[in-house]
DNA sequence: TTGTATGCGTTATCAG
DNA sequence: CTGATAACGCATACAA
């Protein structure tokens, strides 16, 4: 097996009998190249299996063809979806995706991320929630002059820099669904108060309920942290109280699974005696018994939109990025864990 | 906010009053630099917050400081662990991680991967199972002259190129556990026959059982594909038959969850009437009711080892890579889904 | 429409 | 131990 050196632009130029400038034009799809010349060069490129050296190209044009993905979410069951989605858009345009897992809690988070993007000379950065909600990071991203897109539940940036998931509307839909099932004694387990998604989902839910004249009792709003363990803890608090809700909406599927666990321990039948719902539609939701009614986030679609915006920003200088849709709608998925309230 | 151009090696050289060659030596930790000169240069570097341009460096040294991760496995939690593990080792050495999701089934898989590594000029590639088991890809990797490490359940490459998870031994342990619980009527739901892990887990299980004089009945070995849905299908087949096993071991947690689902539907109590176990210890295992007895794969540790091997290969030319441990041992995690067989 | 010359920020060669 | 100087492969003013 002979170790061939990769063909360079010079090889192509020499063999095609043109200057490298012309080859460069062909590569970059310049319009000012004669039809004849173009095909001639293209043929040589194909024969030599030539593909431009990304590093050299980057060095000369100060572009890296590298996109970054900053994420934290510990139960990022959608990480794979995001990565595939982004690459589906970017891969055949010549971009690669560099990942940067981090910790939302870390005191050096912003600094770390900045070192990451400047060291890698990224052309663009996609930031997932909840890290995406850090204004300090966003400002630094803006200052860096690089393209970036944030995913969030709130439109906390200009249209070209954000893709929002309308968690508020989705939660309102869940509220409507609960109300229509006849539930009135409803509890809500929140996520971390620092997250925008927590606020959106809670307010959306309350708003939705109020349309049916239902109001959440203060002691039936308990603060969770999106973890399974905390879900269990909160569920205990709710289900061991003197008066019990007939339905519990948890800020995510993890906590909803915790509620199922506690209900099972206490011998409370779901959904006969208690309806339970979550948010995310991650793997758990459909596997757990009873399967969870939840809200499905169109993760893949968000990734596609974010990637499209990024490319627009990079190649068309923000002009077109604003045209790309910026909002997606999560949808209600009804499964086994919810039912009409039982007359008691 | 002034947009500062990044300082270059020239700036450092000029200000420090030395040649850029010397600065380069300092950066790369060359030994042949005077102590005085070194500290002088280092000070300027710190003051200017200079960090070398990866692209230029790569162009000159034909190294990219980019590592690639080729994967197919849809389980995102696993993916996150791997990514974090690899970066923990490589990040402060200046490497970044580029991801390449792919489809094991795709006819152009090998070709895609090769285009990926050659286009990105990766210094090294880590391949996760089951893609790691493709010999055609491995050969191509070898031919490319790049460093690479495969993760698998079998030692299908030289020590410097592989990290193996001893699924066979782990399965044998599960067999011992089952036997000690008194089970004799045991069924096994396999993974895809094409995967090495499937064979290892099945053979390990059979070997372990045979130590107790137990043999798997042929009709109690059913072929699954590691999906939840197929798990359900296989479970139906096993549990609706005239004679029922008292224990089912599934090739992964997804399918085990499917077994729980069917058992629940059929009113078969787990673990009272049926013991169920899986493999992986993914999020599902601990969340499901009853929680699953399973085998925990030390994913993080595997990632660390793989990354360490990679770095060794890249920087010390395979010499040291062989010294790094190449095998990890998954461990039995006992939860609620298994119990002593009931005398009937 | 095509070509020439120069620079991008490093590393590497070879002297001193 | 240190320093000029030539690659590295490509893009881009500037010419022609």
């Amino acid at each position: 097996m002979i170790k061939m050196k990769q063909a360079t632009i010079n090889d192509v130029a020499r063999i095609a009998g043109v200057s490298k400038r012309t080859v460069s034009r062909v590569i970059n799809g310049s319009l000012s190249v004669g039809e004849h010349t173009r095909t001639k060069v293209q043929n040589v490129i194909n024969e030599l299996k030539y593909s431009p050296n990304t590093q050299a190209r980057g060095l000369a044009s100060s572009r890296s063809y590298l996109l970054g993905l900053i994420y934290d979410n510990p139960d990022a069951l959608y990480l794979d979806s995001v990565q595939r989605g982004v690459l589906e858009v970017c891969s055949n345009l010549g971009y690669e995706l560099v990942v940067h897992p981090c910790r939302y809690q870390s005191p050096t988070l912003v600094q770390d991320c900045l070192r990451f993007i400047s060291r890698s000379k990224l052309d663009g950065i996609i930031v997932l929630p909840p890290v995406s909600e850090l204004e300090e990071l966003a400002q630094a991203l803006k200052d860096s002059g690089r393209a970036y897109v944030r995913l969030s539940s709130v439109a906390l940036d200009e249209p070209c820099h954000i893709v929002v998931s309308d968690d508020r509307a989705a939660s309102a839909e869940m509220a409507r669904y609960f109300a229509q099932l006849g539930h009135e004694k409803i509890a809500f387990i929140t996520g971390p108060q620092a997250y925008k998604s927590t606020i959106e989902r809670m307010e959306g839910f309350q708003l939705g309920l109020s349309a049916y004249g239902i109001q959440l009792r203060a002691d039936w709003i308990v603060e969770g942290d999106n973890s399974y363990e905390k879900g269990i803890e909160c569920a205990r608090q709710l289900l061991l109280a003197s008066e019990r809700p007939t339905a519990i909406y948890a800020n995510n599927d993890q906590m909803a699974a915790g509620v199922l666990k506690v209900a099972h321990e206490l011998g409370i039948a779901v959904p006969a005696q208690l309806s339970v719902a979550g948010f995310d539609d991650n793997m758990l939701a459909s596997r757990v018994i009873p399967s969870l009614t939840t809200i499905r986030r169109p993760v893949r679609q968000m990734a596609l939109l974010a990637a499209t915006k990024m490319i627009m920003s990079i190649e068309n200088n923000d002009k077109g990025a604003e045209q790309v849709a910026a909002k997606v709608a999560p949808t209600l998925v009804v499964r086994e864990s919810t039912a009409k309230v039982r007359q008691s």
Side-chain angles (χ1 to χ4, degrees), chain A residues 54-75:
Chain A
T54 325
Q55 316 202 45
R57 194 200 274 233
L59 185 56
S61 61
S62 66
R63 281 180 54 184
S64 64
Y65 290 89
L66 255 32
L67 264 31
L69 177 69
I70 297 179
Y71 74 93
D72 163 41
N73 205 327
D75 53 26

Side-chain angles (χ1 to χ4, degrees), chain A residues 279-326:
Chain A
F279 199 111
D280 279 347
D281 194 24
N282 69 16
M283 178 200 301
L284 269 170
S286 50
R287 266 62 164 165
V288 111
I289 302 173
S291 56
L292 275 173
T293 289
T294 186
I295 304 275
R296 176 178 300 156
R297 320 189 67 175
V299 178
R300 180 190 152 72
Q301 191 190 348
M302 294 183 77
L304 293 178
L305 288 177
T308 307
K309 269 183 197 288
M310 287 274 333
I311 300 299
M312 290 281 199
S313 286
I314 294 173
E315 307 195 336
N316 306 336
N317 209 17
D318 282 3
K319 314 294 182 192
E322 306 193 348
Q323 310 299 332
V324 180

Side-chain angles (χ1 to χ4, degrees), chain A residues 67-69 80-92 95-97 126 128 300 302-304 306-308 310-311:
Chain A
L67 264 31
L69 177 69
D80 178 54
S81 302
V82 172
Q83 294 182 175
R84 283 184 197 270
V86 171
L87 281 169
E88 183 169 325
V89 172
C90 303
S91 190
N92 28 20
Y95 293 88
E96 302 295 348
L97 184 63
I126 293 177
L128 303 188
R300 180 190 152 72
M302 294 183 77
L304 293 178
T308 307
M310 287 274 333
I311 300 299

Side-chain angles (χ1 to χ4, degrees), chain A residues 21-32:
Chain A
R21 182 68 182 92
T22 300
V23 178
S24 176
R25 285 202 179 88
V26 173
I27 296 172
N28 297 299
S30 165
L31 300 172
S32 47

Side-chain angles (χ1 to χ4, degrees), chain A residues 7 21 29 43 81 102 105 143 158 163 202 215 220 226 235 264 266 283 291 293:
Chain A
R21 182 68 182 92
N43 285 337
S81 302
C102 61
Q105 301 285 358
D143 292 340
E158 303 150 48
V163 172
M202 182 165 64
Q215 197 173 353
W220 278 350
N226 284 351
H264 184 262
L266 301 179
M283 178 200 301
S291 56
T293 289

Side-chain angles (χ1 to χ4, degrees), chain A residues 97-160:
Chain A
L97 184 63
V98 184
V99 295
H100 188 75
C102 61
R103 295 290 176 206
Y104 182 77
Q105 301 285 358
S106 165
T108 60
L109 172 62
V110 174
Q111 186 184 329
D112 287 348
C113 291
L114 288 180
R115 209 166 53 90
F116 167 63
I117 67 174
S118 88
R119 188 172 73 174
S120 311
K121 303 275 179 298
L122 301 177
D123 287 346
I125 303 97
I126 293 177
V127 194
L128 303 188
V131 188
S132 61
E133 295 166 358
L134 265 31
E135 285 306 332
E136 187 188 352
L137 177 60
Q139 189 57 50
L141 246 27
K142 198 163 306 196
D143 292 340
S144 79
R146 290 182 161 79
Y148 71 93
V149 175
R150 304 157 72 183
L151 264 57
S152 177
S153 309
V154 185
L156 28 68
D157 209 323
E158 303 150 48
C160 61

